[in-house]
Amino acid sequence: MLFGLPYTNYVEYLAFLSVAGLTLLGGLGTIVARRVFPACLWLLVCLGGVAGLYALLAGHLLMAVQILVYAGAITVLIIFAVMLLQRHTGRIIMAENQHLIGGVLAAGFMATLILVGIFTTRYQPLAFGDTPATFAGDNVKLIGHLLLTKYLLPFEVVSVVLLASMIGALVLARQEPGENPGAAEAPEAESQP
Amino acid sequence: MPVTNLQLFLPELLLTGLALAVLLLDLWLPRARRSVLPVLSVIGLLLVGLAAASLWDPQRGPVYDFWNSYVTDNFAIFLKVFFAAVGGLVVLLSTDFLRDVRAYGEYWSLLLFVLLGMVLLAGANDLITIYLAFELVSLVSYVLAGYRREDPKSNEAALKYFLYGASASGVMIYGMSLLYGLGGSTNLQVLGERLASGEVTPLGALALMLVLTGLGYKVAMAPFQAWCPDVYEGAPTPVTAFLSVGPKAAGFAVLIRFALSVFPSLLPQWQVVVAILATLTMFVGNLLAIRQQNLKRLLAYSSIAHAGYLLIGVVAAGSQAGWGLPAVLFYLVAYLLMNLGAFALLLLVARTRGTEEISGFSGLAQGAPFAAATMLILLLSLTGIPPTGGFVGKFYLFAAAIESGTWWWLALVGIINSAISLYYYMNIARLMYFGQPAPELVKRPAGLSVVVWVALIGTLGLGLVPEPLMALARQAGMLFVGR
């Protein structure tokens, strides 16, 4: 028993602890890093940790997707954007953590609330479907089957969401013929209270 | 239940097809013929509304489809017809404004995609479907708010909306993940059964609060309303009109279905929370509206206040009397008519006088007596004075609070707030009738005139003959009453 959880397989438990710790460390690094570029690298650590968590749950396909899409594509895209912007503007983009005390207080409050919730709740035993052992190695088939049966509607909605986001992104970013480049980003709007 | 009957899915299929058709037609049509697109959109939305209305059957209970992730019941059908009406009116509002805007064709198809998201939200019965439909609504709304890319205020609106909205989505989906962990399912009914079978857990209460916070952001409920005035002021006016009614109604739909399906065991607790937030929302909206000089900002605060009135109905919907839901549905229709009418008149006035300040309405009664009289009626309706739809809607909401027993005091809060709102609404009326005379409104684009007429006839009609709509709203609300 560790933290009230019965664990028989201590190797798995150690693996979980290290991967979870890595995820937390990455998340912390992402928000604490002053310069944006190192923050992106910390994000990579965090997302890699999440991939490790999937692997521990025998979600091998999810782990691969996590690494390919989040760590591989999205983080790299962010890093590209940061590097291009830094070249373009000629200065290093810094994160401005102005409300440090307020932020720490708010985060601490939420964390306390969640931790109290987690540790005071008496959980009911629930069947979540198959246990990891039964579908290990058969991930692709299982997920494919679920996507085309139980989650068919969300699966179809995702395609509409992606299409609409793509059109939206194009509308915001596309340069119209005769439009002055950079005109949109020049004036900085002052917010009103 | 797997897919049994695609006929029930007809409105969604039509709407998706319409959005794609508009997108592709924009490519093929020559520039001069592109004004066909809004006409096509309105006709298409009419068909969507008819398709949804044809599914109406007072006798039929909820039909679950797509492996229970989607439900067709009278509540959902009522809202689908409502959303089709929202879409049609907003298209008419936008036609004139959009003439000189870039990315013309994409606007219509994006608008139709948001409507699709809202229609899906009306029937979503599964956490994942709810989340995805919500993201469809939110993502496209951010783009629409920033549609005037050359206008810094529009950029600011889009960015603020995006940052607040993204945080709200994050909070909401965290709550949903806790729910999945507690209930072991993403289906609302299964979650409801499993959460009700045991005792009320602290984590369950926390999850409810997180989801409520996320939804509260979307419907601009206090204390999560901070983004609302800036976004409404900066966004293009037709988009503001849309945001003030459409996504808000969708948020309420989810809030009601979610609270009543997943948390029947926590009803008394969440009623307390929502009642407190409703009070706060009404006061924040109305008190801050008093000082506004910009009419779009004023209408933004007023929309916060109206979200507060609607929350009274949501609280009452949790009680046995069963008055709350019909009252909310009725008020949504009344609010749609009076609010879009006010925005149409704002567009008309801003077009001639070049200002969105309240002062633009000064002396309107001399130059354009009909427009001024219409605005007066819409303002009376927004305040809640007979014989208008706004009065009847508020009457039903407050009556629902009184009928519920415990929550009678919310009616009192609502009446006090209506009195406060009288001040700033009538301030506009005072300016129109006693302000400096100004030139008349020279141009009256057809689309705007249609919206003004619909709003006028609808508001007076609902005020004088509320019973037909109320009967429908009651049938739509039936589903949750006999729980």
Side-chain angles (χ1 to χ4, degrees):
Chain A
M1 296 278 278
L2 272 170
F3 295 124
L5 299 167
Y7 256 94
T8 44
N9 189 341
Y10 280 93
V11 179
E12 194 185 321
Y13 192 58
L14 276 178
F16 167 75
L17 272 189
S18 42
V19 171
L22 199 67
T23 313
L24 282 178
L25 187 72
L28 198 66
T30 310
I31 55 166
V32 170
R34 295 274 292 137
R35 284 178 295 157
V36 171
F37 190 76
C40 292
L41 297 181
W42 279 115
L43 185 65
L44 205 58
V45 174
C46 177
L47 294 172
V50 174
L53 289 177
Y54 289 143
L56 282 175
L57 292 168
H60 300 126
L61 178 68
L62 272 184
M63 181 196 74
V65 169
Q66 170 80 10
I67 290 176
L68 277 175
V69 174
Y70 284 92
I74 294 184
T75 317
V76 168
L77 202 65
I78 296 176
I79 289 175
F80 268 139
V82 169
M83 284 164 67
L84 280 174
L85 262 180
Q86 288 189 345
R87 251 187 96 80
H88 186 65
T89 56
R91 62 192 168 91
I92 292 170
I93 308 167
M94 305 288 278
E96 293 174 31
N97 295 326
Q98 288 172 342
H99 305 287
L100 190 63
I101 297 169
V104 167
L105 279 179
F109 175 70
M110 269 320 288
T112 318
L113 219 56
I114 291 164
L115 284 176
V116 167
I118 288 174
F119 285 106
T120 55
T121 294
R122 277 198 284 159
Y123 299 93
Q124 310 172 47
L126 277 176
F128 275 80
D130 300 332
T131 52
T134 56
F135 60 80
D138 214 5
N139 266 225
V140 182
K141 196 172 154 193
L142 198 76
I143 289 180
H145 191 255
L146 276 179
L147 278 184
L148 288 181
T149 55
K150 198 176 167 194
Y151 297 109
L152 176 63
L153 182 67
F155 182 60
E156 295 295 335
V157 176
V158 165
S159 54
V160 179
V161 173
L162 289 178
L163 176 66
S165 323
M166 199 166 65
I167 301 168
L170 278 174
V171 164
L172 286 185
R174 183 176 64 181
Q175 202 172 316
E176 298 288 306
E179 197 178 20
N180 177 19
E185 66 219 50
E188 193 76 19
E190 279 298 314
S191 64
Q192 287 182 6
Chain B
M1 186 81 53
V3 191
T4 49
N5 192 352
L6 266 185
Q7 200 193 340
L8 293 176
F9 210 59
L10 191 63
E12 289 80 354
L13 292 174
L14 270 176
L15 193 50
T16 315
L18 183 64
L20 295 175
V22 167
L23 189 69
L24 290 178
L25 266 181
D26 180 48
L27 282 178
W28 285 326
L29 282 176
R31 261 188 119 69
R33 307 267 309 270
R34 285 192 313 180
S35 54
V36 178
L37 295 177
V39 178
L40 181 73
S41 305
V42 171
I43 294 172
L45 283 167
L46 213 60
L47 286 177
V48 171
L50 282 177
S54 73
L55 300 175
W56 182 272
D57 180 358
Q59 255 67 53
R60 189 180 53 209
V63 182
Y64 296 97
D65 225 325
F66 286 103
W67 287 268
N68 295 336
S69 64
Y70 203 71
V71 57
T72 306
D73 51 25
N74 288 338
F75 179 71
I77 294 169
F78 188 99
L79 283 165
K80 283 173 196 176
V81 179
F82 174 77
F83 290 143
V86 173
L89 289 174
V90 171
V91 169
L92 289 174
L93 271 185
S94 313
T95 42
D96 174 54
F97 162 83
L98 263 185
R99 269 177 221 291
D100 53 346
V101 149
R102 39 173 219 100
Y104 181 86
E106 286 85 346
Y107 179 86
W108 309 112
S109 90
L110 284 176
L111 192 62
L112 293 169
F113 277 125
V114 194
L115 288 170
L116 176 64
M118 284 159 34
V119 165
L120 285 169
L121 273 179
N125 194 40
D126 178 284
L127 292 182
I128 298 177
T129 315
I130 289 180
Y131 180 72
L132 283 172
F134 233 120
E135 283 308 288
L136 181 56
V137 174
S138 306
L139 287 171
V140 183
S141 299
Y142 308 148
V143 177
L144 289 178
Y147 220 80
R148 297 205 74 121
R149 206 174 52 176
E150 70 285 358
D151 178 5
K153 279 204 153 175
S154 187
N155 294 344
E156 182 197 347
L159 190 62
K160 269 202 175 141
Y161 202 13
F162 169 70
L163 291 176
Y164 276 106
S167 328
S169 295
V171 170
M172 186 169 74
I173 199 152
Y174 188 72
M176 286 179 172
S177 73
L178 290 180
L179 281 179
Y180 177 66
L182 286 170
S185 170
T186 53
N187 182 276
L188 295 191
Q189 274 76 35
V190 177
L191 273 178
E193 278 164 28
R194 295 203 180 151
L195 291 182
S197 62
E199 63 201 300
V200 174
T201 57
L203 210 54
L206 182 67
L208 173 64
M209 286 306 118
L210 290 174
V211 175
L212 192 64
T213 306
L215 290 173
Y217 267 109
K218 310 273 176 177
V219 301
M221 177 170 80
F224 315 116
Q225 87 296 352
W227 58 272
C228 181
D230 288 332
V231 172
Y232 283 15
E233 187 189 350
T237 310
V239 175
T240 309
F242 171 69
L243 293 180
S244 71
V245 183
K248 194 169 277 220
F252 273 103
V254 177
L255 185 62
I256 288 167
R257 194 181 287 283
F258 198 86
L260 294 186
S261 309
V262 181
F263 286 106
S265 55
L266 275 176
L267 266 184
Q269 284 87 345
W270 76 255
Q271 274 182 310
V272 175
V273 177
V274 176
I276 294 170
L277 292 178
T279 311
L280 194 64
T281 309
M282 281 184 271
F283 275 114
V284 165
N286 280 315
L287 290 177
L288 291 179
I290 291 176
R291 285 182 51 232
Q292 302 309 321
Q293 289 307 311
N294 180 304
L295 190 54
K296 272 163 91 178
R297 269 185 104 75
L298 187 144
L299 286 173
Y301 281 109
S302 128
S303 89
I304 295 172
H306 284 278
Y309 301 134
L310 283 163
L311 283 173
I312 297 181
V314 176
V315 175
S319 295
Q320 283 304 311
W323 280 79
L325 268 186
V328 169
L329 292 174
F330 186 95
Y331 200 76
L332 279 175
V333 177
Y335 182 63
L336 164 73
L337 290 168
M338 58 201 185
N339 210 40
L340 286 196
F343 270 107
L345 283 162
L346 167 65
L347 276 166
L348 271 176
V349 169
R351 196 174 202 285
T352 309
R353 305 193 172 163
T355 172
E356 286 168 348
E357 303 285 299
I358 293 172
S359 56
F361 276 81
S362 172
L364 192 69
Q366 274 88 9
F370 175 70
T374 310
M375 187 70 180
L376 180 65
I377 288 168
L378 296 174
L379 289 171
L380 287 175
S381 184
L382 283 164
T383 320
I385 292 174
T388 56
F391 165 73
V392 181
K394 268 189 186 158
F395 175 79
Y396 283 132
L397 281 175
F398 297 165
I402 292 166
E403 283 292 319
S404 71
T406 331
W407 308 103
W408 60 270
W409 54 271
L410 278 175
L412 200 65
V413 176
I415 291 167
I416 294 171
N417 272 283
S418 303
I420 301 174
S421 72
L422 185 68
Y423 173 78
Y424 60 83
Y425 287 133
M426 285 310 117
N427 185 33
I428 303 172
R430 182 184 60 80
L431 265 177
M432 286 193 307
Y433 281 91
F434 304 111
Q436 292 291 319
E440 61 183 292
L441 305 173
V442 271
K443 284 213 168 170
R444 301 192 174 194
L448 291 185
S449 301
V450 172
V451 177
V452 170
W453 274 107
V454 170
L456 179 65
I457 295 169
T459 304
L460 286 176
L462 284 185
L464 297 170
V465 208
E467 197 40 46
L469 179 67
M470 197 54 197
L472 290 178
R474 242 180 245 129
Q475 284 170 5
M478 281 300 275
L479 137 92
F480 296 109
V481 175
R483 251 177 311 112

